[in-house]
Amino acid sequence: MATDIKKLAEIVDTAAIEATAIPQLSQSHSFTLDEAYDIQAEMINRRLVRGEVRVGMKMGFTSRAKMIQMGVDDMIWGRLTDGGVISLRDYVHPRVEPEVAFLLKKPLTGPTTPMQAMAAVEAIAPALEIIDSRYEAFKFNVQDVVADNASSTGFVIGPWCPPDTDLDNLGGIMEFNGRPVQIGSTAAILGHPGRSLAAASRMTAEEGETLEVGWIVMAGGVTEASPLSAGISVRNSVEGLGSVGFKVVE
Ligand code: OOG
Ligand code: MG
């Protein structure tokens, strides 16, 4: 039987709205990776219909630390909209991870080299991504997590830096209330975050999308993600780029 893309999209969308964990879709339905991206597209479409605006895309599993933490060893991507969740009550089991973000001044589409991809960059910033899986126990396979928009929930961008800022091996620290919880280097992102941007261009084109001017591209977690709870002030400081933070309230 053909996979019911619309129905599965509604199931993950509803779980996100209601902040309720659901069993992995793959436990009750079998669907391909291509179909998982179709479910994701349909789920995002539901949000756009509700008035959210598409603002970019995110890469996932571009570092070994993330692949190992989640037990998935393929790169994935998700679609970013401006509709992030603000209150802790609206999350299922949120986590935060240190990232870097790109702002595009030229469109990017299809296979490209990291050098060509970096030539499309307007600015680079330290960033934090808040992820939240709609699946019970934050457990999934690659199709499940793609259908759930790569666990995308929110992101915070720090000061934009010039595009020629050297991104090689910049040390970074993510702190909770001033205490380091994750330490890493931008080199953890495929050796250089520019490779993640090139992969973003190639992988989105496979689904018929172009990375548009003005879009934000999140390069992927440098380290493992850490669980969030009320009272935590999070800060990610990246050598040469500056820092970004937020505080979690009830
Ligand atoms: C999936 C999202 C992965 C990253 O930066 O690697 C991701 C997850 O870990 O739940 O955002
Ligand atoms: Mg991420």
Side-chain angles (χ1 to χ4, degrees):
M1 206 185 81
T3 305
D4 193 342
I5 304 290
K6 280 198 159 42
K7 179 162 160 248
L8 295 182
E10 185 185 347
I11 293 172
V12 268
D13 186 39
T14 306
I17 293 172
E18 295 178 353
T20 311
I22 54 169
Q24 294 174 48
L25 297 180
S26 62
Q27 284 176 6
S28 49
H29 296 76
S30 97
F31 55 99
T32 65
L33 189 56
D34 254 354
E35 288 169 331
Y37 278 107
D38 291 343
I39 297 166
Q40 182 192 118
E42 182 60 32
M43 190 257 266
I44 293 297
N45 206 34
R46 294 170 63 91
R47 293 211 218 148
L48 299 182
V49 165
R50 291 199 293 269
E52 291 184 23
V53 174
R54 180 75 187 276
V55 296
M57 66 84 76
K58 59 163 281 181
M59 290 295 288
F61 305 130
T62 50
S63 70
R64 201 171 136 69
K66 282 289 305 181
M67 288 186 181
I68 290 172
Q69 182 182 30
M70 303 317 297
V72 174
D73 52 16
D74 289 310
M75 281 191 280
I76 60 170
W77 64 277
R79 295 163 164 98
L80 299 179
T81 71
D82 64 348
V85 159
I86 303 291
S87 167
L88 203 54
R89 277 186 295 269
D90 295 327
Y91 292 97
V92 182
H93 31 214
R95 297 178 177 176
V96 64
E97 55 197 18
E99 302 217 4
V100 291
F102 296 110
L103 179 65
L104 298 184
K105 66 178 175 201
K106 287 191 206 146
L108 273 174
T109 188
T112 175
T113 65
M115 283 262 283
Q116 285 166 337
M118 289 305 295
V121 171
E122 165 89 31
I124 303 164
L128 284 161
E129 186 183 23
I130 301 154
I131 53 172
D132 192 20
S133 178
R134 268 53 69 169
Y135 300 118
E136 288 163 354
F138 225 116
K139 289 227 157 44
F140 43 67
N141 65 22
V142 67
Q143 285 98 318
D144 287 317
V145 67
V146 164
D148 187 25
N149 199 27
S151 306
S152 167
T153 311
F155 56 93
V156 186
I157 308 281
W160 287 113
C161 304
D164 56 355
T165 309
D166 185 7
L167 271 184
D168 266 2
N169 199 14
L170 302 179
I173 301 184
M174 184 168 79
E175 293 165 321
F176 279 8
N177 297 330
R179 185 174 54 86
V181 287
Q182 300 288 352
I183 295 176
S185 156
T186 52
I189 312 274
L190 300 171
H192 187 291
R195 288 214 182 91
S196 174
L197 185 59
S201 175
R202 173 174 56 78
M203 291 173 74
T204 47
E206 283 164 9
E207 301 299 322
E209 288 209 352
T210 296
L211 304 181
E212 308 285 357
V213 174
W215 272 17
I216 288 163
V217 177
M218 301 285 289
V222 169
T223 67
E224 285 185 5
S226 297
L228 281 176
S229 52
I232 295 176
S233 280
V234 187
R235 183 150 293 279
N236 176 28
S237 306
V238 183
E239 181 190 352
L241 295 184
S243 81
V244 55
F246 63 88
K247 184 174 165 109
V248 185
V249 292
E250 273 299 340

